[in-house]
Amino acid sequence: MKCLVIVLVCAVLAEGIHRIPLVKHKSIRERMMEKGERLPYQDPALKYFPSEFAGSATMYINNYADTTYYGAITIGTPPQSFQVLFDTGSANLWVDSVLCNTQACSEQPHKVQPQQSSTYSANGQTFYLPYGAGSLSGVFGYDTVNVGGIVINNQEIGLSTNEPGQNFVVAQFDGILGLSYPSISAGQETPVMDNMMSQNLLQANIFAFYLTSDGQQGSELSFGGVDNTKYQGQIYWTPVTSQTYWQIGIQGFQINGQETGWCGQGCQAIVDTGTSMLTAPTQIMGTLMQSIGAQQDQYGQYTVNCNQINSLPTLTFTINGNNQVCSVGITPTYLPSQNGQPLWILGDVFLMQYYSVYDRTGNQVGFATAA
């Protein structure tokens, strides 16, 4: 019966889907390496638990140095176009603006010009974004935002006023659009998805990602329903365990079909389109890397011989009783989840294998094998 319901939902909602094509670019880290510069490693989980900034209008964007999938939105009247990262690991919308005059801003071709929009109004609240070796500051305002043909009125927007450092100089995105729950929104600003829901702009309070592998076209984010042309078989659903990020439970982890016991007492995972890698709890990282024959280089990155890729072991997650398989591309995370269980981050390396669906009404995440 559950599978039948899913099939019916797909058929009914197909015509109500709003699609945003996503384009894969080189990451900040890759572009800085081309210039002979390296970013230091920082725990990707700091994005989720920046306790030192609790209570302030602060967003933590540490691990966007490796993200690569961006799509277009417009802001204002008449519309101004921007390439943004659609991020399930944060809640706020911010973009580069003409209010900023640092090098990163002056070299960005696309900057929001609030004075040119007849629908813009000021907010006055400021925000701060720690970012690895740099940071970003800005002010909040309100304007009309168009996401895949969905027109959202009076959407809160962060406008950058200061972008020091080199990170944003080489960035190929103009901003970030957060898709997590409003409970983690900096400044208690209302996220884009929540305004879509409150303004009754969607047939269903669902969005979904289809991410293609390197060199392939067709990556897409859709709002309003699921697209049954983007996956094979059925969608397997698992409940959200914390309505902050898109956090879910993991009941088991296997290497080449052998249960490791690492999640025998339960693990938590955050499904994060704003992280490129799969990250593993630090307490199992060494054993996991040893099992796949990886070596750590002078920069702390784990590598394997490219000739051995086809013989690497299969890694399997058990999520809500269903086995999910992912490719290898792993970095460590040192922080646990809120309840102390080991924390994994299921980033783009994982999500390229699956069509992932995010259901705000049912507070659940769905996975199906990508078509």
Side-chain angles (χ1 to χ4, degrees):
M1 182 62 68
K2 181 177 179 182
C3 296
L4 176 62
V5 170
I6 292 172
V7 171
L8 290 176
V9 168
C10 293
V12 170
L13 295 177
E15 295 182 358
I17 296 175
H18 299 262
R19 296 176 172 86
I20 299 99
L22 302 178
V23 179
K24 195 174 189 299
H25 297 272
K26 288 183 179 179
S27 69
I28 291 176
R29 190 179 303 277
E30 289 172 328
R31 287 172 62 84
M32 291 188 73
M33 287 179 65
E34 289 176 352
K35 298 171 62 177
E37 302 174 15
R38 282 187 176 268
L39 289 174
Y41 172 81
Q42 291 194 359
D43 190 347
L46 283 172
K47 175 183 177 182
Y48 314 122
F49 312 118
S51 58
E52 64 269 34
F53 302 115
S56 65
T58 298
M59 297 168 269
Y60 200 90
I61 60 173
N62 173 69
N63 50 351
Y64 297 143
D66 295 299
T67 52
T68 54
Y69 292 93
Y70 314 134
I73 66 170
T74 66
I75 296 174
T77 307
Q80 304 169 40
S81 183
F82 303 94
Q83 288 286 322
V84 298
L85 161 65
F86 291 92
D87 177 27
T88 60
S90 67
N92 295 81
L93 167 61
W94 70 268
V95 289
D96 298 321
S97 87
V98 296
L99 303 177
C100 171
N101 57 15
T102 53
Q103 179 187 2
C105 300
S106 63
E107 295 187 9
Q108 288 292 348
H110 304 111
K111 296 181 284 290
V112 69
Q113 302 183 57
Q115 75 277 9
Q116 298 297 319
S117 173
S118 63
T119 47
Y120 175 80
S121 61
N123 174 303
Q125 184 180 13
T126 61
F127 65 88
Y128 173 68
L129 291 79
Y131 181 81
S135 62
L136 181 146
S137 300
V139 296
F140 287 117
Y142 301 89
D143 210 335
T144 299
V145 175
N146 186 317
V147 181
I150 305 169
V151 179
I152 308 143
N153 296 317
N154 297 312
Q155 174 60 50
E156 291 91 340
I157 304 165
L159 291 78
S160 69
T161 57
N162 185 28
E163 301 182 22
Q166 291 295 303
N167 290 341
F168 291 111
V169 173
V170 299
Q172 292 183 290
F173 57 81
D174 305 314
I176 295 171
L177 192 155
L179 290 167
S180 65
Y181 283 84
S183 61
I184 62 166
S185 174
Q188 299 182 323
E189 301 295 294
T190 304
V192 168
M193 183 67 181
D194 289 80
N195 275 328
M196 287 183 182
M197 294 191 295
S198 65
Q199 295 176 26
N200 297 313
L201 302 176
L202 301 173
Q203 284 195 11
N205 297 327
I206 287 173
F207 61 91
F209 278 88
Y210 176 75
L211 301 180
T212 60
S213 302
D214 291 348
Q216 297 181 346
Q217 302 298 315
S219 295
E220 184 178 274
L221 164 63
S222 60
F223 288 89
V226 295
D227 185 345
N228 57 14
T229 68
K230 293 292 189 289
Y231 67 91
Q232 304 171 2
Q234 71 178 82
I235 299 175
Y236 294 94
W237 297 93
T238 187
V240 169
T241 56
S242 175
Q243 292 180 27
T244 49
Y245 304 92
W246 289 94
Q247 182 172 311
I248 61 176
I250 295 177
Q251 290 75 45
F253 181 76
Q254 301 173 6
I255 300 176
N256 270 348
Q258 297 296 312
E259 182 58 54
T260 63
W262 293 338
C263 292
Q265 301 301 312
C267 290
Q268 296 291 301
I270 293 173
V271 188
D272 188 357
T273 58
T275 299
S276 64
M277 296 290 188
L278 171 71
T279 78
T282 184
Q283 60 266 40
I284 63 97
M285 188 68 179
T287 305
L288 177 57
M289 291 298 99
Q290 184 178 14
S291 71
I292 65 175
Q295 302 292 323
Q296 196 169 20
D297 65 19
Q298 59 180 321
Y299 302 105
Q301 182 177 359
Y302 286 96
T303 62
V304 294
N305 188 314
C306 293
N307 295 328
Q308 299 174 349
I309 289 178
N310 292 332
S311 61
L312 290 176
T314 299
L315 308 182
T316 305
F317 290 94
T318 300
I319 299 173
N320 201 25
N322 301 299
N323 287 343
Q324 304 288 340
V325 182
C326 71
S327 299
V328 177
I330 308 171
T331 58
T333 186
Y334 295 87
L335 296 177
S337 62
Q338 300 98 321
N339 65 1
Q341 289 185 343
L343 178 68
W344 299 74
I345 302 173
L346 306 182
D348 295 342
V349 164
F350 179 93
L351 295 171
M352 284 188 295
Q353 314 300 316
Y354 298 98
Y355 183 67
S356 59
V357 187
Y358 306 79
D359 177 6
R360 281 291 299 273
T361 298
N363 293 312
Q364 57 184 347
V365 180
F367 296 106
T369 302

